[in-house]
């Protein structure tokens, strides 16, 4: 595989770069230092909250670009690059629809914090892994003092089965994406990883032919389409495997790291 043109590496987090314990490997940080020496820029792109992503890259956070909230928010070091705010009338409509479903947990994702109205301990313990800054409130529809990026909805069994059918009609006004086995995101139509990556490619002067992307779920489809070197994880959703040009090992087998080491070796020749 000819990696000679690659100047940009973009990877999803959960199910891709992170293992099943939500950890970034020490192997990756060693690889990152080599990428930096070869002037290859790194972007972490995730549905996660910005701070939750930063927490996993503390030592290099000022040297990378972070696309958070599924493309609704991006920063490079301390510099805010763009936001895609979800209008509050759409938030109210989404909350009203989701509240009618059983066993669905709603997260209002803001710039300053994530907001939940449940006190379910099992959900909160899981939720804290994705959202470092959060507040428990009595009524999500009454929270107004923040900039809001999206509504995230969670089901312990399957978001695709138990949430998506009830909210897919909202696609006429908003973006509705099954972003993980248990998660579904509702956001501004422009708030997706592909839209964000396209902006950053233009800002960095990097083409599709110079881009490498890794992903595992449906919220990665748009950004995978923007890379000549698009990789699906072995554990990826069937839709991702269908659109990606290549495949690598699973996240628990460090599939991203395997390919990046090949990239470094190729560039070193």
């Amino acid at each position: 595989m000819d990696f000679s043109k690659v100047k940009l590496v973009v990877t999803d987090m959960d199910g891709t770069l992170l293992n099943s314990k939500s950890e970034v490997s020490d192997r990756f940080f060693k690889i990152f230092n080599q990428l930096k020496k070869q002037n290859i820029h790194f972007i972490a792109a995730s549905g996660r909250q910005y701070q939750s992503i930063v927490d996993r890259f503390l030592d290099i956070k000022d040297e990378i670009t972070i696309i958070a909230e599924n493309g609704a928010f991006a920063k490079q070091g301390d510099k805010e690059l763009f936001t895609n705010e979800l209008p509050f009338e759409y938030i109210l409509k989404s909350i009203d629809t989701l509240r009618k479903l059983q066993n669905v947990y709603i997260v209002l994702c803001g710039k300053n914090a994530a907001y939940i109205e449940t006190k379910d301990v099992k959900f909160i313990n899981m939720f804290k892994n994705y959202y470092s800054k959060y507040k428990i409130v009595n009524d999500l529809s009454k929270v107004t003092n923040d900039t809001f990026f999206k509504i995230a909805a969670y089901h312990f069994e399957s978001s695709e089965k138990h949430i998506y059918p009830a909210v897919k009609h909202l696609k006429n006004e908003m973006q509705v994406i099954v972003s993980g086995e248990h998660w579904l995101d509702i956001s501004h139509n422009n708030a997706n990883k592909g839209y964000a990556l396209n902006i950053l490619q233009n800002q960095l002067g990097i083409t599709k032919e110079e881009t490498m992307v890794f992903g595992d779920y449906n919220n990665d489809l748009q950004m995978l389409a923007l890379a000549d070197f698009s990789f699906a994880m072995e554990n990826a959703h069937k839709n991702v495997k269908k659109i990606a040009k290549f495949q690598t090992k699973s996240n628990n087998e460090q599939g991203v790291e395997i390919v990046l080491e090949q990239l470094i070796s190729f560039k070193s020749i």
Side-chain angles (χ1 to χ4, degrees), residues 48-183:
R48 282 176 175 261
Q49 180 186 57
Y50 171 77
Q51 188 57 50
S52 177
I53 304 172
V54 168
D55 288 346
R56 280 145 181 88
F57 295 108
L58 286 176
D59 291 339
I60 63 172
K61 63 182 178 64
D62 294 327
E63 302 176 82
I64 67 175
T65 298
I66 293 176
I67 297 173
E69 306 285 9
N70 268 338
F73 183 56
K75 287 184 73 174
Q76 194 168 35
D78 292 329
K79 181 183 178 183
E80 187 173 309
L81 300 177
F82 60 82
T83 62
N84 269 312
E85 186 175 352
L86 182 62
F88 203 71
E89 62 266 29
Y90 289 167
I91 289 171
L92 294 177
K93 184 179 291 189
S94 301
I95 290 173
D96 183 60
T97 302
L98 290 165
R99 278 178 174 167
K100 296 173 183 175
L101 305 179
Q102 291 186 337
N103 304 314
V104 171
Y105 299 87
I106 309 169
V107 183
L108 176 57
C109 304
K111 188 174 184 179
N112 299 322
Y115 305 86
I116 55 175
E117 57 188 9
T118 180
K119 294 179 175 61
D120 185 290
V121 175
K122 181 182 178 183
F123 173 77
I124 292 172
N125 287 338
M126 178 282 306
F127 159 85
K128 288 191 293 186
N129 178 53
Y130 299 90
Y131 295 91
S132 304
K133 293 184 177 180
Y134 71 93
K135 295 180 181 180
I136 301 175
V137 299
N138 292 324
D139 186 349
L140 290 176
S141 66
K142 298 293 193 295
V143 180
T144 57
N145 57 339
D146 206 339
T147 298
F148 300 109
F149 298 132
K150 70 176 186 180
I151 294 283
Y154 185 92
H155 193 283
F156 276 104
E157 182 183 329
S158 169
S159 58
E160 197 163 14
K161 179 180 178 182
H162 296 290
I163 307 177
Y164 182 72
V167 298
K168 62 182 180 181
H169 67 281
L170 297 175
K171 292 175 75 172
N172 295 328
E173 299 171 294
M174 295 167 273
Q175 183 163 220
V176 180
I177 295 180
V178 176
S179 56
E181 183 179 358
H182 307 284
W183 289 101

